[in-house]
Amino acid sequence: MVEIIKEIVKMMPEGTISDASFEGANIVLYTKDKEFFVDNKGLIREAVEAFKKRIELRPDPSKCLDPEKAEKVIRKFFPEDAGISQILFDPQRSIVIIEAEKPGLAIGKQGSMLKDLREQIMWVPYVRRTPAIKSPLIENIRAVLYQHSDYRRKFLDKIGHRIYDGWTRAKKSEWVRLTYLGGGRQVGRSCLFLQTPESRILLDCGINVAADTPEEMYPHMDAPEFNIADLDAVVLTHAHIDHSGFIPYLYKMGFRGPVYCTAPTRDISALICLDSVKIAKAENQEPLFDQDDIKEMVKHTITLEYEEVHDITPDVRITMYNAGHILGSAVIHMNIGNGLHNFVYTGDIKFGRSVLLEPTHCQFPRCETLTLEATYGGKNDIQPPGFEADQKLCEAIKATVARGGKVLMPVLGTGKAQDVMVMIERLVRSKELAPLPVYLDGMLWDITAIHTAYPEFLNQELRRLIFHKDENPFLSAIFKRVGSVKERQDVIEYEGPCVILATSGMLTGGPSVEYLKNLADNPKNALVFTCYLPEGTLGHRIFNMGAKELVFKHGVKQEVCKINLEVMKITVSDHADRKQLMNYIYKVYPKPKRVLVNHGEISKCLDLASSIHKQHRIETIAPRNLDTLRLR
Ligand code: ZN
């Protein structure tokens, strides 16, 4: 038995613990003693205090009530309003997952209902929300985890051994290094590599979709520091492809370690990666990885809640905080070497309230080095306030509707699309806009479903609508799913005015380009961009360079497309603008000793770094790709 488990077991009455295992960094004790399982007299809490680890007590599998009988008890136990749907047993871990439409009603005040239920069934019940919108893809993800529960159990135990073998109370590391494998002075392929004597960790691992060559598109996996065979873990801030898109490839190359992220990030990343495979195949290109590699990623993902402290290697402990960027996005705090160095990586953040989310978190237990994004870090990157975007969007839709046209909005898969949905629904509900169909193409529907599965990640106002008033904006009848090529054709041929939301946001491929080809020549229609348009994308050519004609090549055939529709851009940004970034440095607590600026064009990174230095007298660096810094 590993030292830490031996010490914990010593704290329990003799003979009560029948078995113990790791589930990642969590320690699980099993008992055959019913009395002790029902009331451990605060001993588990004492152990948690003493070891600063998550420790859970479960009944020994031999003591669990027969699943058939337990299911009957569970169904009878909860009030009808709780809306219990699926009940899934994981017999090797003595866990039962109960899906409920209203988890609050099933859990009771401070978990009171679950406590009673535990006693009756001798299983550990977990209540999970049934997504308000059904999505086969979410069900698939959950099924993958369920089908492989035996593999998961062994995998999580292995992770625990990696963290705790050789565990001693005061582990000290001597140094910390950080190498930029991507995302240095650029937007796209974010990938940081953190090394200590004990750990090798990737922070994000994305793809630069705007790049033309593989050398520019993928992170520098060929850097001499990096060896995939030694990689301990990937920590993922959020699901955007420039942060997550390369992870399945790591599994294709044989990586079998964990990815740490929030639950929505796991689900959305899997969807976005699956979509990228689909798009590549539709365009007759060889996809970088296939569905099985994405499945491996899902199988190896360990989800964390915000503000949950979690060991990931012997000398690195991470905590995720709300980043305010997209659903499930996180700022990562890393406590390295038991307090030797505290590193904060913001990923992408928004430091203001958005339609969907609360502003990013800015208080940390400690922080010596902060890595800040600079997408809108340039001097002139000042965004209009949110209500102006609402107004502009409303006017754009009204004007297009009045002339009988269609509004095409290319959107990123996640974030913007749901922002726009909530904005339109609000306009319709307040009668500022007459109801009209809003089509969601392809995976946008699934990503919206994920938003309904994790409302606890949304801002207070949306949560209030969803929980208390049953006015879930995502369930409005104006939203229609477009699930096939045939249905897409129906939308194109639909006679009346409508709004079409489709990926990709930058017109780098996907359904938005298909709609554009069909809608572009009609001046009644409108094309409304909603996101950052990097150079090299079709979006940049149309909006920034004013292209009036596009040529699409299909082998030897050419398709010429005239741009006659109205073109505009409405910034519903999910990034902090220059003002917010400067304000973030002002507000962040404690004040970091050093700020690394990344995830922005060269001039923006340099300008933001120099302004932060001038105003705050903090050391700032804008690292280039392949730069290595010694943090400590
Ligand atoms: Zn992002």
Side-chain angles (χ1 to χ4, degrees):
M1 213 183 260
V2 180
E3 204 55 35
I4 190 168
I5 293 189
K6 271 192 212 158
E7 285 198 33
I8 294 169
V9 170
K10 256 190 242 161
M11 290 181 72
M12 306 295 141
E14 221 186 303
T16 47
I17 305 303
S18 56
D19 196 8
S21 68
F22 297 117
E23 286 185 2
N26 300 342
I27 293 162
V28 185
L29 305 177
Y30 292 90
T31 180
K32 290 186 179 172
D33 186 328
K34 182 169 179 182
E35 237 172 80
F36 186 66
F37 172 66
V38 172
D39 181 13
N40 63 65
K41 307 221 164 9
L43 284 173
I44 296 292
R45 196 173 346 119
E46 276 175 36
V48 168
E49 285 292 314
F51 289 84
K52 300 274 178 280
K53 306 288 172 207
R54 294 168 80 92
I55 303 168
E56 199 185 326
L57 181 67
R58 295 194 197 139
D60 191 271
S62 65
K63 295 287 163 190
C64 296
L65 185 66
D66 175 71
E68 243 173 71
K69 286 183 191 150
E71 173 154 359
K72 274 189 197 139
V73 175
I74 295 167
R75 295 216 179 265
K76 241 205 222 140
F77 184 84
F78 291 112
E80 199 144 316
D81 300 355
I84 304 297
S85 50
Q86 271 201 101
I87 297 173
L88 300 167
F89 292 91
D90 185 345
Q92 284 166 327
R93 297 163 69 210
S94 310
I95 282 178
V96 55
I97 293 164
I98 302 165
E99 290 201 341
E101 273 157 33
K102 299 209 166 119
L105 285 176
I107 292 166
K109 278 214 171 80
Q110 273 142 18
S112 56
M113 310 253 319
L114 294 188
K115 217 170 140 223
D116 292 345
L117 182 65
R118 266 165 78 101
E119 206 174 325
Q120 290 186 32
I121 57 175
M122 288 293 283
W123 286 82
V124 177
Y126 282 98
V127 174
R128 214 162 55 176
R129 178 180 306 277
T130 318
I133 299 176
K134 257 191 154 337
S135 147
L137 276 153
I138 300 182
E139 282 165 19
N140 272 345
I141 288 169
R142 292 187 171 179
V144 164
L145 294 172
Y146 186 63
Q147 282 157 12
H148 298 275
S149 63
D150 196 31
Y151 177 86
R152 286 275 295 175
R153 194 173 50 88
K154 288 179 195 145
F155 159 71
L156 292 172
D157 192 52
K158 211 168 92 190
I159 302 293
H161 278 282
R162 171 75 185 93
I163 297 169
Y164 293 120
D165 284 358
W167 176 85
T168 52
R169 270 175 195 277
K171 191 130 204 154
K172 281 271 179 206
S173 302
E174 306 89 36
W175 52 264
V176 184
R177 295 171 91 218
L178 183 73
T179 304
Y180 271 79
L181 302 184
R185 302 190 183 187
Q186 68 174 172
V187 177
R189 61 163 163 175
S190 280
C191 190
L192 276 62
F193 183 50
L194 187 111
Q195 287 168 281
T196 75
E198 292 276 355
S199 312
R200 285 147 303 263
I201 296 163
L202 281 182
L203 289 157
D204 289 342
C205 196
I207 285 179
N208 183 6
V209 283
D212 296 320
T213 61
E215 290 76 35
E216 297 279 311
M217 193 175 281
Y218 311 129
H220 287 276
M221 293 294 151
D222 52 351
E225 287 81 0
F226 183 77
N227 179 358
I228 194 167
D230 298 332
L231 182 63
D232 286 306
V234 180
V235 179
L236 173 60
T237 57
H238 67 286
H240 279 152
I241 208 149
D242 58 328
H243 294 256
S244 71
F246 203 65
I247 297 176
Y249 189 76
L250 300 177
Y251 287 95
K252 186 175 177 176
M253 292 291 104
F255 176 59
R256 287 296 178 269
V259 176
Y260 292 94
C261 62
T262 62
T265 298
R266 174 196 60 200
D267 295 2
I268 300 168
S269 304
L271 273 180
I272 291 180
C273 290
L274 284 169
D275 195 59
S276 75
V277 172
K278 213 167 101 187
I279 291 173
K281 285 188 176 160
E283 289 170 2
N284 281 326
Q285 290 167 356
E286 181 67 26
L288 185 61
F289 42 74
D290 65 22
Q291 288 170 350
D292 286 343
D293 304 313
I294 300 167
K295 202 179 192 180
E296 287 303 321
M297 173 176 82
V298 170
K299 256 167 75 182
H300 291 87
T301 299
I302 298 178
T303 59
L304 302 181
E305 308 270 342
Y306 286 148
E307 304 186 29
E308 172 188 342
V309 183
H310 202 92
D311 291 85
I312 62 168
T313 60
D315 64 348
V316 175
R317 193 174 294 156
I318 63 169
T319 314
M320 297 192 164
Y321 295 95
N322 168 38
H325 173 60
I326 59 167
L327 188 79
S329 63
V331 171
I332 315 291
H333 175 273
M334 302 179 108
N335 174 344
I336 303 163
N338 215 355
L340 176 80
H341 193 80
N342 287 267
F343 176 72
V344 172
Y345 172 52
T346 64
D348 294 354
I349 54 168
K350 185 167 178 88
F351 196 40
R353 221 155 177 281
S354 68
V355 176
L356 299 179
L357 308 167
E358 297 291 338
T360 183
H361 191 91
C362 62
Q363 297 203 325
F364 305 98
R366 277 176 59 187
C367 172
E368 284 88 47
T369 303
L370 173 80
T371 300
L372 183 66
E373 67 126 325
T375 321
Y376 292 100
K379 272 200 182 65
N380 303 322
D381 290 332
I382 304 300
Q383 292 158 7
F387 63 86
E388 276 182 30
D390 277 31
Q391 216 49 46
K392 240 177 116 181
L393 177 68
C394 188
E395 279 156 23
I397 297 174
K398 274 185 189 162
T400 312
V401 168
R403 60 178 185 245
K406 296 184 172 72
V407 183
L408 171 62
M409 298 182 80
V411 285
L412 295 175
T414 179
K416 300 266 167 55
Q418 290 72 32
D419 265 59
V420 169
M421 286 173 75
V422 173
M423 277 161 67
I424 295 176
E425 197 271 344
R426 212 184 264 161
L427 294 171
V428 169
R429 193 170 354 148
S430 65
K431 305 215 163 36
E432 270 186 76
L433 196 66
L436 79 173
V438 177
Y439 294 103
L440 305 173
D441 197 298
M443 70 164 175
L444 290 178
W445 186 265
D446 293 295
I447 290 183
T448 304
I450 296 172
H451 281 68
T452 69
Y454 303 104
E456 57 278 16
F457 284 82
L458 297 169
N459 68 27
Q460 255 183 8
E461 191 187 336
L462 275 181
R463 275 200 316 250
R464 189 178 50 88
L465 286 176
I466 292 170
F467 292 156
H468 299 293
K469 299 171 75 185
D470 269 329
E471 288 180 12
N472 192 336
F474 297 115
L475 301 182
S476 163
I478 58 172
F479 301 120
K480 320 256 179 226
R481 176 172 189 231
V482 183
S484 64
V485 176
K486 158 90 179 54
E487 285 174 5
R488 189 176 300 158
Q489 200 51 42
D490 291 346
V491 173
I492 289 165
E493 283 162 18
Y494 174 73
E495 301 258 316
C498 63
V499 177
I500 303 163
L501 300 174
T503 57
S504 65
M506 306 164 183
L507 296 178
T508 46
S512 60
V513 177
E514 295 308 310
Y515 284 109
L516 180 71
K517 286 178 188 169
N518 287 286
L519 302 177
D521 68 340
N522 185 347
K524 284 182 183 170
N525 297 333
L527 172 64
V528 182
F529 289 109
T530 55
C531 70
Y532 178 78
L533 302 168
E535 268 180 57
T537 60
L538 196 52
H540 185 88
R541 265 170 56 205
I542 296 173
F543 183 75
N544 301 74
M545 296 161 66
K548 286 278 164 242
E549 194 176 277
L550 303 170
V551 179
F552 295 96
K553 289 193 179 121
H554 308 278
V556 282
K557 268 200 226 152
Q558 281 196 347
E559 186 182 350
V560 180
C561 173
K562 293 233 180 303
I563 306 288
N564 295 329
L565 79 183
E566 189 183 1
V567 177
M568 65 179 98
K569 186 171 162 184
I570 295 178
T571 317
V572 203
S573 179
D574 41 24
H575 284 274
D577 68 353
R578 163 71 172 222
K579 249 192 342 224
Q580 288 183 5
L581 289 168
M582 290 303 284
N583 194 26
Y584 185 75
I585 296 295
Y586 184 71
K587 292 272 173 62
V588 72
Y589 183 85
K591 192 91 10 232
K593 295 193 174 61
R594 184 199 286 135
V595 175
L596 311 180
V597 178
N598 65 14
H599 198 285
E601 289 164 13
I602 300 177
S603 62
K604 297 188 182 192
C605 286
L606 294 175
D607 184 50
L608 183 64
S610 109
S611 300
I612 292 171
H613 176 70
K614 274 188 213 141
Q615 268 194 31
H616 297 274
R617 294 283 141 214
I618 301 174
E619 179 192 352
T620 54
I621 307 171
R624 295 161 303 174
N625 285 338
L626 292 173
D627 275 350
T628 295
L629 299 116
R630 184 164 171 193
L631 300 182
R632 170 77 198 219

